[in-house]
């Protein structure tokens, strides 16, 4: 775990924070770049920011539905390769190849049956390893969307 000392260029490193008996705290003096001062908010692990998301959806079966997938990231995102979308209905997996970070993609998909489907979005790096922080799921509620009417109701009698 990394923690800054507010108003300085110092950084504390805590090894094994989950195990109090083996925990050690190291202070790295003046480790931050010259001319910068630490502030609150440094992440507790060294990782780049990366996120894949899609809004939750209610869908009518047998109707093409447009989905927007947002891929956002920052420092370190040059290792991003692709994102795979599994719509959870045994249809082929859709692959979005890296065209840069901070992009939105539009996909169209059509469900054939009513039900609740889990849409899984998984991203991979250039070494074909899953980027754990990017995996996300969305539930899609699919229904017939038909309005049932009583055929015995008459108007203009």
């Amino acid at each position: 775990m990394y923690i800054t000392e507010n108003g300085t260029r110092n950084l504390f490193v805590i090894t094994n924070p989950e195990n109090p008996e083996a925990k050690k705290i190291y202070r790295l003096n003046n480790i931050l770049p010259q001319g910068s001062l630490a502030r609150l908010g440094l992440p507790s692990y060294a990782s780049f920011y990366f996120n894949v998301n899609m809004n939750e959806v209610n869908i009518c079966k047998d109707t093409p539905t447009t989905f927007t997938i947002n891929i956002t990231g920052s420092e370190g995102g040059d290792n991003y390769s692709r994102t795979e979308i599994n719509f959870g209905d045994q249809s082929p997996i859709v692959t979005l190849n890296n065209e840069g970070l901070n992009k939105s993609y539009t996909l169209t998909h059509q469900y054939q049956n009513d039900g609740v489907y889990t849409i899984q979005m998984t991203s991979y790096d250039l070494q074909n390893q899953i980027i754990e922080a990017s995996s996300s799921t969305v539930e899609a509620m699919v229904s017939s969307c038909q309005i049932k009417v009583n055929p015995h109701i008459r108007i203009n009698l």
Side-chain angles (χ1 to χ4, degrees):
M1 178 185 305
Y2 301 96
I3 303 170
T4 59
E5 184 177 0
N6 196 29
T8 71
R9 294 179 40 223
N10 302 335
L11 182 71
F12 290 95
V13 179
I14 302 173
T15 60
N16 299 322
E18 310 84 23
N19 184 357
E21 295 166 1
K23 176 174 51 181
K24 292 186 179 181
I25 301 175
Y26 299 95
R27 181 180 183 184
L28 305 174
N29 292 318
N30 298 315
I31 193 80
L32 298 176
Q34 184 74 2
S36 64
L37 293 177
R39 297 190 183 186
L40 300 176
L42 186 67
S44 59
Y45 58 93
S47 177
F48 69 95
Y49 169 76
F50 188 82
N51 187 24
V52 178
N53 67 52
M54 174 192 301
N55 293 337
E56 291 186 30
V57 288
N58 292 315
I59 302 168
C60 296
K61 78 173 185 173
D62 298 323
T63 304
T65 302
T66 300
F67 297 89
T68 301
I69 292 92
N70 300 303
I71 299 177
T72 54
S74 64
E75 190 66 35
D78 53 346
N79 196 31
Y80 164 64
S81 169
R82 72 186 187 284
T83 297
E84 294 182 350
I85 314 294
N86 181 342
F87 286 97
D89 62 351
Q90 307 304 315
S91 63
I93 290 175
V94 176
T95 300
L96 303 174
N97 289 313
N98 180 8
E99 295 178 15
L101 296 174
N102 303 313
K103 287 202 163 266
S104 292
Y105 297 85
T106 302
L107 301 175
T108 301
H109 187 74
Q110 183 171 321
Y111 286 94
Q112 304 299 318
N113 299 302
D114 293 353
V116 177
Y117 295 88
T118 300
I119 303 171
Q120 176 72 40
M121 295 163 283
T122 307
S123 296
Y124 295 86
D125 63 18
L126 294 173
Q127 291 74 39
N128 206 32
Q129 300 296 312
I130 293 175
I131 301 173
E132 294 294 336
S134 73
S135 297
S136 61
T137 58
V138 174
E139 286 197 348
M141 304 277 295
V142 179
S143 60
S144 66
C145 297
Q146 295 176 344
I147 299 174
K148 297 188 181 205
V149 295
N150 185 338
H152 303 290
I153 295 178
R154 302 171 96 196
I155 55 174
N156 295 334
L157 295 177

